[in-house]
Amino acid sequence: NTSEQETVEVAHEALIRNWGELRNWIDSNREFRAWQERLRVIRQQWESTERDTELLLRGGMLVQAEERLKERPEDLINERKFIEESIQEKNRILQQEKAKQKREMMTAWGITAGSIVAVVVSVALGVTAVQQKNQAEINQAIYLGKESWSLLAQDRWSEALPIAIKAGVIVRDKPG
């Protein structure tokens, strides 16, 4: 039949013309399926160890899984929970690291402010012992130094620092 032969010829021409695209699609699908099989093995290990967080995806494997989940969610139905748990664990670890960095920064600022307060108090006390002139200003410097020290003890270093500096200015500007 002529109609059937024409159909076969058209299909044959389309196949020849689009062979490169078909070949690329087959290759990329084969690559995805091989990756998916590796992911399934890892997921099964995770499930067999009662979902040990150490076996969740990390680094490049997690980045790749996130991308593929966005691109082909319908092909990753069984792996979705595993990938999402891995993302949640990554986010939890990032939050812990941020909190640790914040604590370390606060500690460093506290130590710095404490050092400044200690120096100011020491200077104010030393000046008081050596000089008796202008006792009111010296007493004010001592009071401010103690006040800033008290604030620092309450972990209110951002309030303590300006008071300590003010006490230091009084001591510095003190004649004699």
Side-chain angles (χ1 to χ4, degrees), residues 3-107:
S3 170
E4 288 177 9
Q5 185 173 350
E6 287 175 0
T7 303
V8 168
E9 286 177 15
V10 169
H12 186 254
E13 284 179 37
L15 183 60
I16 290 171
R17 194 173 333 111
N18 296 316
W19 179 251
E21 287 179 44
L22 179 61
R23 186 77 199 149
N24 288 339
W25 179 81
I26 290 170
D27 289 344
S28 71
N29 198 49
R30 182 181 305 127
E31 179 187 321
F32 173 81
R33 294 300 176 196
W35 172 85
Q36 186 180 32
E37 188 56 36
R38 289 190 305 273
L39 181 66
R40 285 181 178 160
V41 169
I42 296 168
R43 188 197 83 220
Q44 288 169 350
Q45 289 174 338
W46 173 67
E47 288 174 348
S48 72
T49 60
E50 298 178 14
R51 299 183 174 208
D52 181 358
T53 57
E54 292 298 316
L55 295 177
L56 289 170
L57 299 174
R58 302 194 192 301
M61 187 73 172
L62 178 55
V63 170
Q64 192 175 35
E66 287 180 276
E67 290 171 1
R68 291 203 167 153
L69 183 60
K70 289 176 187 169
E71 294 167 0
R72 297 175 75 162
E74 69 282 353
D75 292 326
L76 294 169
I77 293 170
N78 295 328
E79 295 82 7
R80 175 182 222 87
K81 179 73 174 164
F82 178 60
I83 294 170
E84 288 172 349
E85 291 273 339
S86 297
I87 293 168
Q88 289 173 3
E89 179 66 8
K90 174 188 77 170
N91 292 337
R92 186 188 67 74
I93 290 170
L94 287 174
Q95 289 299 321
Q96 282 181 337
E97 288 174 4
K98 284 180 183 179
K100 180 182 176 190
Q101 288 173 350
K102 184 177 179 181
R103 283 191 309 271
E104 288 172 353
M105 189 174 78
M106 296 293 284
T107 299

Side-chain angles (χ1 to χ4, degrees), residues 122-139:
S122 296
V123 168
L125 292 174
V127 167
T128 301
V130 174
Q131 298 182 3
Q132 293 298 315
K133 294 168 34 172
N134 298 323
Q135 193 63 43
E137 288 181 349
I138 294 171
N139 287 342

